[in-house]
Amino acid sequence: MQQITEYLNKNKDRFINELIELLKMPSVSADPAFSQDVLNTADAVKTALLEAGCDTVEICETKGYPIVYGEKIIDPKLPTVLVYGHYDVQPADPIDLWDSPPFEPVIKKTDIHPEGAIFARGACDDKGQMYMHVKAMEFMVKNDKLPCNVKFMIEGEEEVGSENLGEFVANNKEKLANDIILISDTGMIAKDVPSITTGLRGLSYVEVAVTGPNRDLHSGLYGGAVANPINVLTKMIASLHDENNRITIPGFYDKVEELSQEERNQMAKAPFNLENYKKALDIKDVYGEKGYTTNERNSIRPTLDVNGIWGGYIGAGAKTVIASTAYAKISMRLVPHQEWEEITRLFKAHFERLAPAGVTVEVKPHHGGQGYVTPIDNDGYKAASKAYKTTFGKTPIPQRSGGSIPIVALFEKELKSKTILMGFGLDSDAIHSPNEHFGIWNYLKGIETIPYFYKYFTELSKK
Ligand code: BES
Ligand code: MN
Ligand code: MN
């Protein structure tokens, strides 16, 4: 398939410019102020899919933001690949920490990306990676290289928990029927170390509020005599980990799948340099559950993290006050077999029990989802592995990721199909962070690799 490299050379400037146009649209799903922009982005994705050669593209309304669905069915007897991605992005905050405005994409060179990287919110997560599939489709259609059927399902609520996608999938099983689901919304180890993500963690996200007195109080007149909700909340949170950094919620680890020593040895073979890891984050040491390595801690082990905490006075200077209420947002990353709804219940029961008399506790579940592990002995994995081998010259390493795409487990349940996670991002791309970027090399490599997946998957399916 020599043509893909030729096609890329001829069209790469246009491919980059089209992505830049998409990145200018601030499709922040979390913030209602951007709702019209999110809707406009769905329209832009529809246009892009039609131009890339889909026969039909629809904007499917949901209770929230629409799902863009497109397809090209060349022969119902051939296999069907369902591509999933998301056109929504995380909020850009804190805006002050961006070197250039988040929705005015610029190309800059970095140490890791001497060819340049596009800096913008969503560059890697997930507009850049989603758009690789649109351009790979364009190549295949225009050059008569599409070997099978393709369906695209691009949603606009991934970053807020995909709350309406489950219902859409359950109601459209026929339409979405496929032989394999293909997603680029994860990362790889390094530019010269290709990897395929074989696992995602599940998630339970909750918000807690601890309320003491019925109003804010003078911290001199009342301090010491009533429970201070911020003191209490921080103490409760601190008690959620023990001295070995294990989570103390009763039952939390009951269903956790323990990996065999052999599987752990296998994992330890993936290239990883702890010194570089620390240097990249400017930290003197790593931190986490006793008995596990950094790569284990961030992939095969469950976690509990405060994502935000507030209450009381945070303005200029000092104000002496005991706040009436203190709040925190807490995420728990889960591993396969842990059930997110059960974990949410266990958390709630434990947290309510922890509260001393003198405060009331409210636990509000936000969203969640199951973890996922893909086997590596199926046609999908084999096709992906062969595709990377072709374009990187190296067999990719299977690697479980710590991130979550909760809908993947649901796809398996509802559509009975496996998902292959071909991610081309790097840890240094700063997704969800200020100065998010996506390497132009990675973007083009993704477009180059994807058509081979289709070719090998179709060939393997015929056997
Ligand atoms: N693309 C990410 C998930 C991801 C990134 C997985 C890198 C593996 C490697 C996705 O957009 C995301 O941010 N997911 C959220 C969960 C969602 C329910 C808000 C996450 O992992 O925090
Ligand atoms: Mn994503
Ligand atoms: Mn994300």
Side-chain angles (χ1 to χ4, degrees), residues 336-351:
H337 306 318
Q338 279 184 299
E339 280 161 47
W340 77 271
E341 279 159 323
E342 182 185 1
I343 293 292
T344 306
R345 276 197 301 276
L346 292 176
F347 175 91
K348 185 172 170 12
H350 180 65
F351 211 69

Side-chain angles (χ1 to χ4, degrees), residues 62 67 82 84 153 164-178 181 407 410-416:
T62 71
I67 292 154
L82 173 66
Y84 163 84
M153 173 171 56
N164 296 295
L165 187 59
E167 189 181 319
F168 178 78
V169 171
N171 291 339
N172 290 278
K173 288 187 190 172
E174 194 112 341
K175 181 189 205 126
L176 301 172
N178 65 81
I181 297 170
I407 207 69
L410 210 125
F411 288 156
E412 173 150 54
K413 191 166 151 234
E414 299 283 357
L415 304 175
K416 311 276 177 265

Side-chain angles (χ1 to χ4, degrees), residues 189-314:
I189 295 176
K191 283 161 83 175
D192 56 350
V193 190
S195 58
I196 298 175
T197 302
T198 51
L200 294 163
R201 285 195 284 194
L203 182 70
S204 164
Y205 199 107
V206 298
E207 185 169 326
V208 300
V210 171
T211 301
N214 58 6
R215 57 186 168 85
D216 287 5
L217 301 175
H218 187 289
S219 65
L221 296 181
Y222 290 92
V226 296
N228 175 331
I230 301 178
N231 292 8
V232 170
L233 174 64
T234 51
K235 197 167 162 186
M236 288 166 73
I237 287 171
S239 78
L240 295 174
H241 288 92
D242 70 12
E243 65 282 7
N244 295 322
N245 277 316
R246 278 176 72 87
I247 294 150
T248 54
I249 300 168
F252 186 85
Y253 290 97
D254 284 1
K255 293 187 176 162
V256 168
E257 169 200 49
E258 295 289 340
L259 265 62
S260 67
Q261 193 54 48
E262 195 191 316
E263 286 171 297
R264 293 177 68 185
N265 293 346
Q266 207 54 38
M267 266 189 83
K269 284 192 192 144
F272 176 73
N273 182 311
L274 190 61
E275 288 314 308
N276 290 348
Y277 184 85
K278 291 193 271 188
K279 215 190 290 163
L281 300 175
D282 275 324
I283 50 173
K284 289 209 180 73
D285 206 354
V286 291
Y287 186 91
E289 187 182 356
K290 194 173 166 189
Y292 293 91
T293 65
T294 294
N295 272 341
E296 290 171 340
R297 287 169 178 168
N298 68 24
S299 65
I300 60 161
R301 299 300 298 165
T303 60
L304 183 152
D305 278 292
V306 177
N307 292 237
I309 182 162
W310 70 102
Y313 183 68
I314 52 165

Side-chain angles (χ1 to χ4, degrees), residues 377-429:
D377 58 359
N378 60 57
D379 287 348
Y381 188 90
K382 285 182 198 158
S385 182
K386 235 175 132 181
Y388 282 88
K389 176 83 173 89
T390 306
T391 59
F392 286 76
K394 284 182 187 170
T395 300
I397 297 172
Q399 200 194 35
R400 277 170 67 170
S401 167
S404 308
I405 310 176
I407 207 69
V408 171
L410 210 125
F411 288 156
E412 173 150 54
K413 191 166 151 234
E414 299 283 357
L415 304 175
K416 311 276 177 265
S417 33
K418 298 281 175 216
T419 291
I420 301 301
L421 298 155
M422 290 176 73
F424 292 88
L426 299 176
D427 283 352
S428 54
D429 289 344

Side-chain angles (χ1 to χ4, degrees), residues 86 90 125-126 158-162 185-187 197 200 203 333 367 401-406 431-432:
H86 61 95
Q90 284 277 325
D125 183 12
D126 178 41
E158 197 278 341
E159 298 292 9
V160 288
S162 303
D185 193 22
T186 55
T197 302
L200 294 163
L203 182 70
R333 297 283 168 171
H367 54 66
S401 167
S404 308
I405 310 176
I431 62 172
H432 292 207

